C-alpha cells in the first residue's frame, strides 16, 4: 500500500518537521501512524516530500524528510463546469472528478439548477466542495490540488467567456451527434467540459456556449446523472491524453 499523503501550506526546508494541526491530528489520532512508518507531504502545487515518523505526540508527528520531488502540472488542463445539483450529488461529483484527475471545477449556476447558491449558504456550499476536493486529492495521492472556482458560483455569462478563451470546449448533451471519444483534442491550453444539472442545459445556454466555440458531444447511448457524467467524460479524456 502506498504511503498516505498529507497536505501542508509549505514543504519543510530542513530535514525535520513537526506535523500538527488538523493534518497532524488525522495522521496521529485517526490513522494512528507509528514510529518508522512513511508518509508523503504535498503542498498542493506540485511539490512533495517523503518522510518517516520519528516520534508520535498528542495529535502531532515528528518527521524526518527522506526525499523531495516535484510534479509538473498536467497539460492540457482539464476544467469541468459543473451545474449545481441538489442534495449531495454535487459533492459526489467533486469527489470522483478529483480522484480521476480534474484540474479545476467551476460551480455553475445553471438556469435549471434546482439548488441555488445565495448569500452565506452559497459560500458554505462552495467551501464544502473545496473541502471535498481536498480530501479526495489526499485519497488519490495527488500532488496538485484541484482549484474550485466561484465566489461562490459562476454565471452562464462567465462560463461563456471561459469557453471562448479555452483551447477546446465540450458540452455534454444527450442529443448531440458527435462523440467525445472521437473529438479533436489540443496538446496544450485548457479543455473546458460543461456538465448540466439534473434538469439539463437550457436551449439558450447551449446556444450561448456553441456561439462561444463549444462543441456538443455525447458519451454513448445512456443518459448519465449529473454526478457521474463529468467523471465518465474525464475518464475518456484522461485515457485519450495518455494521463492514464
Amino acid at each position: 500500500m502506498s504511503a498516505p499523503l498529507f497536505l501542508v501550506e509549505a514543504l519543510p526546508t530542513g530535514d525535520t518537521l513537526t506535523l500538527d494541526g488538523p493534518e497532524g491530528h488525522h495522521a496521529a489520532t485517526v490513522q494512528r501512524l507509528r514510529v518508522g512508518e512513511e508518509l508523503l507531504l504535498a503542498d498542493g502545487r506540485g511539490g512533495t516530500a517523503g518522510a518517516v515518523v520519528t516520534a508520535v505526540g498528542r495529535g502531532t508527528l515528528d518527521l524526518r524528510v527522506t526525499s523531495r520531488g516535484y510534479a509538473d502540472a498536467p497539460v492540457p488542463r482539464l476544467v469541468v463546469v459543473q451545474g449545481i445539483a441538489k442534495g449531495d450529488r454535487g459533492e459526489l461529483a467533486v469527489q470522483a472528478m478529483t480522484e480521476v484527475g480534474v484540474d479545476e471545477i467551476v460551480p455553475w449556476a445553471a438556469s435549471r439548477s434546482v439548488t441555488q447558491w445565495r448569500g452565506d449558504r452559497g459560500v458554505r456550499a462552495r467551501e464544502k466542495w473545496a473541502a471535498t476536493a481536498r480530501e479526495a486529492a489526499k485519497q488519490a495521492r495527488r500532488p496538485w490540488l484541484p482549484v474550485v472556482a466561484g465566489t461562490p458560483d459562476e454565471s452562464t455569462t462567465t462560463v461563456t467567456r471561459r469557453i471562448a478563451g479555452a483551447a477546446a470546449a465540450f458540452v455534454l448533451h444527450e442529443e448531440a451527434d458527435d462523440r467525445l471519444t472521437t473529438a479533436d483534442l489540443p496538446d496544450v491550453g485548457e479543455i473546458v467540459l460543461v456538465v448540466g444539472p439534473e434538469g439539463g442545459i437550457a436551449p439558450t445556454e447551449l446556444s450561448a456556449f456553441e456561439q462561444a466555440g463549444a462543441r456538443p458531444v455525447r458519451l454513448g447511448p445512456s443518459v448519465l446523472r449529473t454526478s457521474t457524467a463529468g467523471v465518465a467524460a474525464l475518464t475518456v479524456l484522461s485515457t485519450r491524453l495518455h494521463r492514464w
Side-chain angles (χ1 to χ4, degrees), residues 63-138:
L63 307 173
R64 175 172 55 83
V65 176
T66 57
S67 64
R68 299 180 187 276
Y70 179 80
D72 291 328
V75 290
R77 291 185 81 240
L78 300 181
V79 179
V80 174
V81 175
Q82 174 67 52
I84 296 172
K86 64 182 179 181
D88 63 353
R89 290 180 181 174
E91 292 159 39
L92 291 172
V94 169
Q95 180 184 57
M97 290 191 298
T98 299
E99 290 178 2
V100 300
V102 72
D103 297 305
E104 184 173 353
I105 301 169
V106 180
W108 171 37
S111 63
R112 292 179 177 175
S113 289
V114 175
T115 300
Q116 298 293 322
W117 288 3
R118 296 290 183 267
D120 291 341
R121 177 186 179 182
V123 173
R124 290 193 299 271
R126 183 199 170 278
E127 289 175 349
K128 199 163 187 178
W129 277 29
T132 299
R134 180 184 177 89
E135 292 306 309
K138 290 166 56 179

Side-chain angles (χ1 to χ4, degrees), residues 9 29 39 41 64 71 85 91 115-117 123 125 135 154 156 166 204 206 225:
E9 289 297 324
T29 307
L39 57 82
L41 302 173
R64 175 172 55 83
E91 292 159 39
T115 300
Q116 298 293 322
W117 288 3
V123 173
E135 292 306 309
E154 300 287 5
T156 298
T204 54
L206 180 60
R225 292 180 181 270

Side-chain angles (χ1 to χ4, degrees), residues 152-196:
D153 53 22
E154 300 287 5
S155 66
T156 298
T157 300
T158 304
V159 171
T160 301
R161 288 198 295 265
R162 187 70 177 265
I163 289 171
F170 304 100
V171 181
L172 295 184
H173 199 278
E174 61 187 82
E175 296 179 1
D177 294 322
D178 297 330
R179 293 178 181 268
L180 185 60
T181 51
T182 58
D184 292 335
L185 301 178
D187 295 324
V188 296
E190 191 170 274
I191 298 176
V192 174
L193 183 72
V194 181
V195 180

